[in-house]
């Protein structure tokens, strides 16, 4: 099943045209498929391989290195709380616990409604703003436990939330689309553009745990949580 | 390779001075001196990456230790490999590698032949300071039917990844999750679907990649080994056969820079289970009404000899027999039975190999496989080499991608070569000759036909061979001062031509004034009831001849038939007498490959029951017909060959014998004799890597004249005179053959071709491979598909005469108006379609 619609594929071709070699477009195209499904699925990687003339294994080898390319379903808003030394000294663990309680999920998890994911981040390089946090890679400095709850409530209610730089926090798929299409002459309203190009609902994930290849007749079903 | 202008430099390694070619890799130069530098990632068949850091050595004047696998030698270099500094670094590297390695040697197939194990004994610390838990992964992933992966054993040397990328060109296996969690993996549900995947098992320096057919089967010290030659296709890759008890359990590539470099295809590696097939014939059978009864060898031979004495007798031989068998077959036919009717071209019915005779004095190739490496241009006309001559495909790929040769492909359909060809010329089936004639005059192709040029040809379209394409190619070759590879399809096919199992040629390529009948004529005569007896040796015309009905009728109508076979094939079931035959791993023999190189097979396992080599059967038949050849051994046959075959008279077959390879063919593990820095060690210098061109070494352009005199092997192994340069013939033998008549009529032109895994008697009995065959498919041009209103994956009905079969549509780059069908697949027997005139109607099912 193809992840990219015909219109999306024409966007992909515009991206490819920016590079001297087709395969150089692997990363933006991976963001493009992430903008459709919220994370990079096997079908998404197959689409990228198909467009670039690579094997899916090569796309996996490239994509699996980058943490911003998500290998499992990811919430609309990813909350990353720094857990390194400066932030921890200044109470990052309390911020983290507040978020965890508010959302009812463990680090690495996603809320059942698919709106929030939570992760403990390594140094975000903003020690002066400790305890530091990012939501969809927008910075928040000197965050208190009550603030993080407030921010989550605002986002859940669909209100605008602004980062320290005054940027509005936008949904993950929009950011992925913007990353993929940077430098292309596409209409500004990225969310609308993306919605229009994606066309319809995202297909369900077909990710197998640990990318386990299944050989019919030989294989037992993969063990839960096995693999890498 | 050339000996031209190679600058020699003086290097000192561990106090010994040595002269070495400038620019060669330090690790190679040391190894040739007998100094083994431990390594995991370095492999002479691939480029250096220097990722395992195991081969660190000290070079005087360099601030840090350097990896010897990526350091070229230079004049005055002083190197230490075993002083405390490099030895300490090697020890540390091993300690690092063993942090995550499970050390599950007792349950690992590699145990006892493992470079990591051996080098740990030789260069390792002996104990570890690491106490934390080791990395674990889900165990034993079947990444294909053939290859099993245990990720925790992997030391991340990249060999399998580099092999897939550099050598095979099918990148199915990769390093993913790079970083602290790097692991080897294939993509989700995509298997490691390569024709060459088994090579990654052989070069894996640990037990991470293992063979599904060899898991937990044996320990290397329990194996007995013999050097042999793969008996599938005519590339003739040297192999090591290994047995436990008397059961053949493993086949590995035996490196030979002249033929296969370091590689064999998966068909050669995994296609050996046929020797133990349940239905393997082990006793002679004599017809008893509708059934057979078992007989003694003498009884069966006597029964056959009685019927072969008079009348019109035909002899058909297959392509997997040895040179000795071929010689015996023609001797029985021409000398004892005195019939001129013999042929060994079945699937390649009518293929005009003999056309080369007028140009070069030999039937077959004038070039060697190694000539591809020095070529500046290569022309390929024929079937897809990846399917039919897999290792030749690797050599062609290397010649183009490493050697810079320009490849020109002439074919009615897309071949795997197209991916790296400079020019692809698409023609109609049968239109190859015209396309080739235009090569030398049409820009831009003509500009890329630069000498040295190697012209390659192999019979492509069963039943429709006219020789016109070969004639055309030879003309191009002569005009361009080129040599050629004329590739008969099977391992024994060239031997058949050399020994004169051909209606128009005697042994030693001597043309016969009054040629006998070829396979088609013999079958037609038999079907018409005009043939008194037919001897079929190692062939199954009913499955393989491009007219199934004719072959069937021939076997039914012929007065008497003797079939010598491994299995009860469709042909054998219709015989009057059946004699059991031997398989390649069981015999002493020779095979002649597509470059006319003779190579020796050594026996390893025993044949079942009373099975004997076909040459013995021939000698027995002759004796029963009062013509005692007095042959009892391989040497006796060769005494007769050197006496009777002019091209082979100076050949010393004893010189072909190879040393028995170590039971575990692990070149990097070394031997026990060599003392290491700290006393005697298990791993010392490696075995004998074949010397010569390695991708890791700086690329050099070979000059043409030198490349002809390639190797000292040539004179020894390639019989027959090869002129210095091809000459235009005064008069062509059998020339003037009609160019392919345009096929008129309704429907699509059938263009058939073999696939690597098919219903062949040997492959279909090697169960792991049989499961990989592609089944019934038909390739259609997209315009034709549109007209038929079908698309990829649809079922269509193919109708030719009274035959109807269904196949799955594959839209492909194929000449319009033609369809490609695989030759011998389950549910699709192309030889039924071909029998009805070479055209087929296609309709949506």
């Amino acid at each position: 099943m193809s992840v990219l619609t015909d219109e999306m594929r024409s966007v992909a071709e515009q991206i490819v045209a920016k590079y001297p070699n087709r395969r150089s477009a692997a990363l933006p195209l991976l963001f493009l498929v992430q903008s459709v499904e919220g994370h990079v699925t096997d079908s998404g990687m197959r689409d990228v391989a198909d467009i670039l003339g690579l094997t899916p294994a090569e796309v996996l080898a490239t994509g699996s290195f980058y943490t911003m390319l998500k290998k499992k379903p990811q919430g609309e808003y990813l909350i990353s709380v720094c857990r390194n030394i400066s932030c921890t000294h200044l109470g990052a663990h309390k911020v983290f616990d507040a978020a965890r309680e508010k959302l009812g999920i463990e680090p690495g998890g996603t809320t059942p409604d698919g709106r929030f994911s939570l992760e403990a981040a390594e140094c975000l390089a903003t020690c002066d703003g400790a305890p530091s946090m990012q939501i969809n890679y927008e910075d928040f400095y000197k965050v208190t436990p009550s603030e993080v709850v407030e921010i989550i409530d605002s986002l859940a209610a669909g209100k605008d939330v602004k980062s320290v730089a005054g940027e509005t926090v936008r949904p993950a798929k929009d950011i992925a689309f913007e990353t993929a299409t940077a430098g292309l002459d596409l209409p500004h309203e990225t969310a609308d553009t993306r919605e229009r190009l994606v066309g319809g609902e995202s297909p369900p994930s077909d990710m197998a745990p640990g990318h386990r290849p299944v050989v019919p007749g030989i294989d037992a079903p993969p063990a839960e949580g096995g693999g890498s | 390779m050339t000996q031209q202008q190679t600058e020699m430099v003086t290097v000192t390694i561990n106090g010994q001075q040595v002269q070495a070619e400038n620019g060669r890799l330090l690790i190679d130069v040391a190894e040739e001196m007998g100094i083994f530098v431990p390594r995991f990632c370095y492999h002479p068949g691939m480029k250096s990456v220097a990722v395992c850091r195991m081969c660190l050595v000290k070079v005087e004047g360099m601030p840090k230790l350097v990896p010897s696998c990526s350091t070229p030698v230079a004049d005055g270099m002083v190197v230490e490999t075993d002083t405390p500094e490099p030895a300490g670094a090697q020890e540390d590297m091993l300690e690092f590698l063993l942090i995550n390695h499970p050390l599950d040697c007792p349950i690992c197939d590699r145990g006892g032949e493992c470079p990591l194990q051996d080098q740990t004994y030789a260069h390792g610390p002996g104990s570890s300071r690491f106490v934390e838990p080791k990395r674990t992964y889900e165990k034993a992933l079947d990444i294909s039917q053939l290859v099993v992966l245990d990720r925790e054993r992997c030391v991340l040397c990249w060999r399998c990844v580099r092999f897939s990328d550099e050598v095979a060109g099918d990148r199915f296996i990769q390093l993913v999750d790079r970083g602290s969690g790097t692991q080897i993996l294939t993509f989700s549900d995509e298997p490691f679907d390569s024709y060459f995947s088994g090579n990654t098992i052989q070069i894996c320096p640990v037990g991470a990649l293992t063979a599904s057919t060899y898991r937990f089967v044996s320990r290397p010290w329990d194996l007995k080994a013999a050097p042999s030659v793969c008996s599938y296709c005519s590339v003739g890759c040297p192999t090591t056969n290994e047995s436990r008890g008397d059961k053949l359990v493993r086949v590995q590539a035996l490196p030979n820079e002249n033929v296969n470099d370091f590689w064999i295809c998966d068909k050669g590696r995994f296609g050996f289970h046929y020797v133990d097939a349940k239905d393997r014939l082990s006793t002679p059978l004599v017809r008893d009404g509708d059934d057979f009864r078992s007989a003694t060898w003498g009884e069966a031979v006597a029964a056959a000899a009685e019927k072969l004495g008079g009348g019109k007798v035909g002899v058909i031989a297959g392509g997997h027999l040895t040179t000795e068998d071929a010689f015996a077959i023609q001797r029985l036919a021409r000398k004892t039975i005195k019939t001129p009717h013999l042929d060994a071209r079945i699937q390649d019915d009518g293929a005009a190999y003999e056309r080369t005779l007028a140009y070069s004095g030999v039937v077959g190739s004038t070039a060697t496989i190694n000539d591809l490496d020095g070529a500046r241009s290569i022309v390929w006309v024929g079937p897809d080499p990846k399917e039919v001559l897999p290792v030749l495909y690797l050599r062609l790929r290397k010649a183009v991608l490493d050697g810079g040769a320009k490849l020109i492909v002439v074919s009615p359909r897309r071949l795997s070569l197209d991916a790296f060809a400079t020019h692809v010329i698409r023609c109609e089936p049968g239109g190859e000759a015209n396309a080739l004639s235009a090569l030398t005059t049409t820009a831009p192709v003509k500009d890329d036909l630069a000498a040295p040029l190697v012209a390659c040809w192999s019979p492509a379209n069963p039943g429709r061979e006219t020789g016109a394409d070969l004639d055309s190619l030879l003309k191009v070759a002569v005009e361009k001062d080129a040599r050629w590879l004329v590739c008969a399809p099977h391992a024994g096919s060239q031997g058949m031509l050399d020994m004169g199992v051909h209606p128009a040629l005697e042994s030693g390529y001597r043309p016969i004034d009054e040629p006998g009948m070829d396979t088609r004529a013999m079958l037609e005569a038999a079907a018409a009831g005009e043939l008194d007896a037919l001897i079929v040796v190692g062939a199954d015309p009913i499955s393989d001849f491009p007219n199934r009905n004719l072959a069937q009728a021939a076997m039914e109508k012929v007065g008497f038939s003797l079939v010598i076979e491994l299995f009860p094939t469709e042909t054998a079931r219709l015989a009057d007498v059946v004699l059991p035959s031997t398989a390649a791993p069981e015999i002493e023999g020779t095979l002649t490959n597509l470059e006319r190189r003779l190579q020796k097979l050594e026996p390893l396992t025993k044949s079942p029951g009373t099975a004997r080599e076909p040459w013995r059967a021939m000698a027995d038949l002759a004796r029963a017909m009062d013509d005692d050849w007095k042959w009892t051994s391989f040497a006796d046959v060769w005494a007769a060959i050197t006496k009777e075959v002019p091209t082979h008279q100076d050949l010393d077959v004893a010189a072909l014998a190879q040393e028995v390879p170590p039971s575990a063919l692990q070149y990097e593990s070394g031997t026990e004799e060599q003392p290491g820095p700290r006393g005697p060690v298990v791993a010392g210098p490696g075995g004998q890597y074949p010397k010569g061109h390695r991708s890791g070494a700086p690329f050099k352009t070979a000059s043409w004249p030198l490349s002809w005199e390639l190797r000292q092997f040539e004179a020894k192994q390639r019989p027959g005179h090869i002129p210095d340069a091809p000459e235009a013939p005064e008069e062509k033998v059998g020339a003037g053959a009609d160019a392919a008549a345009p096929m008129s009529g309704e429907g699509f032109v059938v263009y058939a071709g073999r696939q690597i895994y098919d219903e062949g008697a040997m492959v279909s009995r090697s169960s792991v491979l049989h499961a990989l065959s592609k089944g019934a498919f038909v390739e259609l041009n997209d315009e034709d598909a549109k007209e038929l209103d079908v698309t990829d994956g649809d079922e269509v009905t193919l109708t030719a005469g009274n035959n109807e079969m269904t196949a799955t549509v594959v839209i492909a780059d194929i000449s319009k108006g033609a369809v490609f069908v695989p030759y011998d697949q389950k549910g699709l027997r192309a030889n039924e379609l071909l029998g009805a005139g070479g055209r087929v109607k296609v309709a949506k099912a």
Side-chain angles (χ1 to χ4, degrees), chain A residues 42 46 55 64 212-213 215, chain B residues 138 142 171 177 183 188-189:
Chain A
D42 282 2
R46 263 193 214 103
T55 62
S64 59
R212 195 192 190 307
V215 179
Chain B
E138 197 179 334
D142 298 284
R171 295 173 288 267
D177 296 340
Q183 53 172 318
S188 175
D189 55 354

Side-chain angles (χ1 to χ4, degrees), chain B residues 326-347:
Chain B
F327 177 68
I329 287 164
Q330 68 86 30
R331 204 169 199 264
L332 182 81
R334 292 219 166 92
K335 295 240 164 80
T336 306
I337 300 176
K338 299 189 170 60
T339 175
H341 312 306
L342 71 167
D343 200 355
R345 294 164 300 165
I346 320 280
Q347 222 165 57

Side-chain angles (χ1 to χ4, degrees), chain A residues 70-91:
Chain A
K70 304 299 178 189
K71 281 120 225 156
K72 55 181 190 177
Q74 191 74 21
E76 199 176 347
Y77 296 100
L78 169 67
I79 300 169
S80 320
V81 181
C82 178
R83 64 169 181 190
N84 277 182
I85 195 154
S86 308
C87 293
T88 302
H89 273 306
L90 291 167

Side-chain angles (χ1 to χ4, degrees), chain B residues 240-304:
Chain B
T240 310
N241 295 338
E242 288 165 292
S243 67
R244 182 185 158 96
D246 198 36
K247 188 176 164 64
L248 185 62
V249 292
R250 185 163 71 170
V251 172
Q252 300 211 78
L254 193 57
N256 184 330
E257 62 162 341
N258 295 303
V259 182
N260 61 331
D261 287 343
F262 299 85
W263 324 118
I264 55 174
C265 68
D266 286 353
K267 187 169 173 177
R269 186 181 301 269
F270 296 102
F272 63 84
H273 294 102
Y274 72 89
V275 300
D276 296 321
K278 282 206 183 73
D279 62 348
R280 177 91 191 263
L281 297 172
S282 60
T283 176
L285 301 170
V286 175
R287 181 155 293 284
D288 187 2
D290 284 345
D291 214 345
F292 288 108
R293 63 178 170 82
S294 299
T296 63
W297 187 267
E299 194 186 341
V301 165

Side-chain angles (χ1 to χ4, degrees), chain B residues 40 51-56 86-99 116 123-125 155:
Chain B
F40 294 110
V51 293
C52 76
R53 315 309 287 179
M54 192 62 210
C55 67
L56 292 174
Q90 290 158 10
E91 190 172 294
D92 292 347
M93 276 321 301
L94 270 167
E95 194 177 358
F96 274 123
L97 289 173
L98 294 178
I99 281 177
L116 179 61
H123 306 276
V155 292

